[in-house]
């Protein structure tokens, strides 16, 4: 019996209209992502990788094409079905953390459970258990402004896990972090994968490749080979790198 991929993407296309211009973010891509994999999608800014992640999570709708997650066609779901799908199946981790500034860490982590009618006592218990898992239980009563970037991202990961989703989607999770904090977040994501979850990370950080089981490369909304991606990245570096000895 053939194993069906957890995610099947067929001829996915996304076009944005900006004034009189049309910008092609995704140009008809096909992807299969296995269950229990750690997939890293590499791409520079403007490559379409964040657009792809938002489409996968049901936060945006494609111009055309099909997205199957666990054999559910999410592009055809109505808003109520999409909301339920996100609540039950997806844990989002954003580059900008997206923590609510008026809430302490404990309430931020437990907040998604409010929509499921979970009692405050149960929300707090679940949130504290997860904060302990990510090493943040000693910051439970601190607000986001009282946390470092790495601590905010750990809190955001705990929040992403609060509904126990099988699929984790992370958008540049190390983009706003220093080197040490970034490595800690990568290790935490790897631990989530080893616990049985499917993890998909979009990034331009090559260190993430050390943790991946599968790697995809995006350029200008197209899937490309590693060689083509590396060549393009090298050209970008040469163009943007300043001269060592500029002429006075």
């Amino acid at each position: 019996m053939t194993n069906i991929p957890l995610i099947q993407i067929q001829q996915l296309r996304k076009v944005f209209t900006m004034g009189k211009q049309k910008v092609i973010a995704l140009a008809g891509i096909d992807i299969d992502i296995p269950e229990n994999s750690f997939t890293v999608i590499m791409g520079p800014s403007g490559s379409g990788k964040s657009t792809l992640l938002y489409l996968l999570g049901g936060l945006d709708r494609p111009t055309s094409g099909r997205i199957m997650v666990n054999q559910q066609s999410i592009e055809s779901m109505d808003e109520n079905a999409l909301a339920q799908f996100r609540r039950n199946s997806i844990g989002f981790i954003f580059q900008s953390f997206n923590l609510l500034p008026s809430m302490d860490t404990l309430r931020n982590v437990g907040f998604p459970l409010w929509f499921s009618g979970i009692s405050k006592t149960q929300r707090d218990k679940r949130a504290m258990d997860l904060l302990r898992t990510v090493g943040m239980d000693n910051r439970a009563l601190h607000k986001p402004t009282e946390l470092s970037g790495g601590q905010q991202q750990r809190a955001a990961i705990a929040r992403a896990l609060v509904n126990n989703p099988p699929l984790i989607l992370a958008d540049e999770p190390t983009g706003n972090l220093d080197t040490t904090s970034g490595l800690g977040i990568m290790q935490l994501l790897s631990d989530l994968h080893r616990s049985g979850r499917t993890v998909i990370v979009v990034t331009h950080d090559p260190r993430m490749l050390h943790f991946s089981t599968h790697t995809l490369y995006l350029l200008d909304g197209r899937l490309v080979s590693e060689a083509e991606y590396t060549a393009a990245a090298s050209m970008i570096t040469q163009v943007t790198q300043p001269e060592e000895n500029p002429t006075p």
Side-chain angles (χ1 to χ4, degrees):
M1 180 177 178
T2 302
N3 290 328
I4 299 175
L6 177 68
I7 296 171
Q8 296 171 286
I9 295 171
Q10 299 171 351
Q11 285 299 295
L12 189 64
R13 182 176 172 85
K14 180 65 179 181
V15 179
F16 294 100
T17 300
M18 303 181 69
K20 295 182 179 179
Q21 292 187 326
K22 292 188 180 298
V23 177
I24 300 174
L26 293 173
I29 61 175
D30 299 301
I31 301 173
D32 286 345
I33 296 178
E35 190 172 9
N36 302 135
S37 60
F38 189 127
T39 299
V40 172
I41 302 173
M42 294 286 294
S45 178
S47 62
K49 61 186 188 299
S50 291
T51 297
L52 174 58
L53 203 72
Y54 277 54
L55 293 173
L56 270 176
L59 293 176
D60 198 1
R61 293 186 181 273
T63 303
S64 60
R66 195 174 191 194
I67 307 170
M68 299 286 290
V69 179
N70 200 19
Q71 302 186 61
Q72 298 179 82
S73 181
I74 68 170
E75 85 283 345
S76 61
M77 292 180 179
D78 62 26
E79 292 303 320
N80 289 334
L82 269 177
Q84 184 174 357
F85 163 76
R86 288 192 296 266
R87 184 166 60 246
N88 296 336
S89 303
I90 305 291
F92 285 101
I93 302 169
F94 300 97
Q95 179 180 357
S96 56
F97 318 132
N98 286 2
L99 299 173
L100 298 171
S102 62
M103 293 184 179
D104 61 32
T105 305
L106 185 71
R107 291 175 62 203
N108 260 291
V109 172
F111 183 65
L113 294 175
W114 184 85
F115 297 99
S116 300
I118 306 298
S119 71
K120 183 179 184 304
T121 300
Q122 290 177 302
R123 293 200 304 269
D124 287 351
K125 182 181 185 306
R126 174 70 174 155
M128 184 57 79
D129 287 344
L130 286 168
L131 285 173
R132 193 171 295 112
T133 297
V134 301
M136 282 288 293
D137 48 310
N138 62 338
R139 294 290 186 269
L141 300 182
H142 289 67
K143 291 187 176 179
T145 54
E146 301 171 309
L147 304 176
S148 68
Q151 290 171 338
Q152 289 186 65
Q153 192 61 292
R154 286 177 177 271
I157 290 173
R159 182 188 56 193
L161 297 174
V162 77
N163 279 319
N164 196 28
L167 177 59
I168 303 295
L169 303 179
D171 186 9
E172 295 281 10
T174 63
N176 287 331
L177 304 180
D178 59 53
T179 300
T180 301
S181 296
L183 284 171
I185 295 303
M186 292 178 198
Q187 186 60 60
L188 190 51
L189 290 171
S190 181
D191 292 343
L192 293 175
H193 164 242
R194 288 200 299 270
S195 73
R197 289 181 172 85
T198 302
V199 177
I200 301 175
V201 179
V202 300
T203 185
H204 63 269
D205 189 339
R207 296 177 301 166
M208 196 70 76
L209 297 176
H210 296 293
F211 301 88
S212 68
T213 61
H214 296 73
T215 306
L216 301 171
Y217 298 92
L218 267 178
L219 282 176
D220 300 323
R222 300 178 299 108
L223 285 174
V224 299
S225 67
E226 181 180 1
E228 185 176 350
Y229 177 83
T230 301
S234 177
M235 289 179 61
I236 292 171
T237 300
Q238 291 174 16
V239 169
T240 58
Q241 194 172 52
E243 296 180 20
E244 292 185 7
N245 297 301
T247 303

